[in-house]
Amino acid sequence: MSPDGTLSIGDLAARTRTTVKTIRFYSDQGLLPEAARSSGGHRRYGPDAPARLRTIRSLRALDVPVPEIKRVLDSGDGLEAVVARRLAGVGGQLAALRWREAALRALHECEPGQLAERLELIGAVSVPPDTSALAHYWRRLLPVRLSARLRAAVTEAAVPQPPADPTPDEVLAFARVHALATAATDGCLASHRPVTETHPDLLYDGLHEAHRLVEAAVRAGRAPGPGEALDCYVAAYARAAGARDTPAFRQALAARLAAADHPVMHRYWQLAGKLIPGLTLGAADAWLRDALAAHTATV
C-alpha cells in the first residue's frame, strides 16, 4: 500500500486473489470505483476496495446480475433482499426443470403413435406453466353479474395449479386441460355455460355450502341421495329464482340441469381431478345432481 493508503491494481489483485483483468472489468462497469490515478495514469484503489471486491465476487458467484450488484453497493439495497430474490429465482428455475423433466418423460415413455400429439399438447404450455388460459375460461363461463368475491372464489377452486414436482401423467393432464380451455370458442363457451339465475350471488353462495356438505357426505361414505346437502343445493336454486322448494320445482330443476350438462365440462373435471387434491367442484356438483335425479325418480 502506498503512503496515501491507496492500492495499485496489482496489489488489489494479489490481496483478493483476483485477476487484473477481472478488476478492470468491474471498474469499467462502475462496481469498483478508483480512488485516484498515479502520475503514470495507472489505477489506484482505496483501502475499502478489497472488502468491496470480495462482496462483488461473492454476489457474482451466486449469479447476481451486475446491475443488481451496483444497486446493492451504491444505493443501499439490502443484501437480505438480494438473497431473497435470488432464492425465489432459483426456486422458479428448479420448478421449470422439474416440469421439463416430467414432460420429457411423458414423451419418452409414450407409444410411437402418440408422440406427435403429446408433443403438440405439451409444447403449447409455457415453462414454467401458468393458469391464465384456465382462469380466462372460467371468467367467461361464470355469470356476468356474479360478484368479484364469488368469481374469484370459484375460479380459485376450479382452476388446477401445476404441481411443483409433477409426474408425467400430471404434465399430460395439465396440458390437456389447458388445450381444452384454450380451444373453447365463444360459441362453445356459451353452449356449456352453467345454469344461471336472476340472482347469481344467492345461487353460488348456496352452492358453496352444498358442496361443503357433500365433502362431509363423501367422507362418511354416503352415496348420492336425499339429505342435508341435497336440500341445501335445491334451496340455493330456489332462492336465486325467487321460487319455493317443491316437488314440482325439483322435477323441473333436475330436467334443467340434465339439459345443461355438457361433455366439455365432464372432460374438464375429469382432467382437473388428476391435479386438484380432494373433491373437485365438478365431482361435488355431479354427486348432487345424481342425488337430485335419484330423489325425483322416486317422487
Side-chain angles (χ1 to χ4, degrees):
M1 184 178 291
S2 66
D4 63 0
T6 61
L7 295 163
S8 71
I9 193 169
D11 290 336
L12 181 57
R15 286 195 178 202
T16 57
R17 298 182 180 179
T18 307
T19 66
V20 168
K21 181 179 179 181
T22 298
I23 294 174
R24 285 202 185 99
F25 172 77
Y26 290 147
S27 294
D28 293 341
Q29 293 295 315
L31 297 181
L32 195 63
E34 303 163 19
R37 287 268 178 161
S38 70
S39 58
H42 299 293
R43 306 175 197 238
R44 306 292 300 185
Y45 296 92
D48 62 338
R52 186 179 177 99
L53 181 54
R54 290 188 189 99
T55 300
I56 293 168
R57 292 182 64 195
S58 296
L59 291 173
R60 285 300 296 144
L62 294 172
D63 205 28
V64 178
V66 167
E68 194 167 356
I69 295 175
K70 194 171 190 317
R71 287 196 299 272
V72 171
L73 298 173
D74 294 346
S75 62
D77 192 4
L79 282 172
E80 295 84 356
V82 173
V83 170
R85 285 195 293 270
R86 295 309 301 165
L87 184 59
V90 169
Q93 292 168 14
L94 288 173
L97 285 172
R98 285 192 290 266
W99 181 270
R100 287 194 177 102
E101 181 186 23
L104 288 169
R105 288 188 182 281
L107 296 172
H108 180 69
E109 295 168 1
C110 71
E111 298 294 330
Q114 300 173 321
L115 184 58
E117 180 216 1
R118 288 193 177 188
L119 181 61
E120 183 176 358
L121 279 170
I122 293 171
V125 178
S126 64
V127 179
D130 70 73
T131 58
S132 56
L134 306 183
H136 176 71
Y137 176 82
W138 279 95
R139 284 195 296 270
R140 297 297 304 275
L141 275 177
L142 293 171
V144 174
R145 296 174 57 198
L146 190 65
S147 68
R149 170 183 65 85
L150 285 169
R151 185 178 297 276
V154 173
T155 301
E156 181 180 358
V159 171
Q161 296 301 311
D165 190 7
T167 65
D169 284 345
E170 287 171 335
V171 166
L172 282 171
F174 187 88
R176 283 174 175 144
V177 76
H178 180 275
L180 181 151
T182 302
T185 63
D186 288 350
C188 181
L189 286 169
S191 73
H192 68 276
R193 189 182 298 275
V195 175
T196 58
E197 305 294 341
T198 306
H199 304 289
D201 275 28
L202 289 176
L203 173 61
Y204 279 82
D205 268 327
L207 292 181
H208 172 74
E209 177 62 18
H211 291 163
R212 188 185 65 80
L213 292 170
V214 169
E215 289 183 22
V218 170
R219 283 197 300 270
R222 291 200 293 273
E228 186 180 9
L230 178 59
D231 291 344
C232 182
Y233 186 66
V234 175
Y237 278 102
R239 281 195 304 271
R244 291 186 305 108
D245 179 1
T246 64
F249 179 82
R250 292 195 174 204
Q251 291 281 359
L253 178 61
R256 289 173 59 202
L257 293 174
D261 204 6
H262 197 283
V264 169
M265 292 307 298
H266 278 294
R267 182 60 173 158
Y268 182 95
W269 289 119
Q270 180 187 36
L271 294 168
K274 299 179 180 180
L275 300 163
I276 297 175
L279 195 69
T280 66
L281 295 182
D285 207 73
W287 191 100
L288 288 160
R289 283 186 279 109
D290 287 346
L292 179 61
H295 175 68
T296 55
T298 62
V299 175

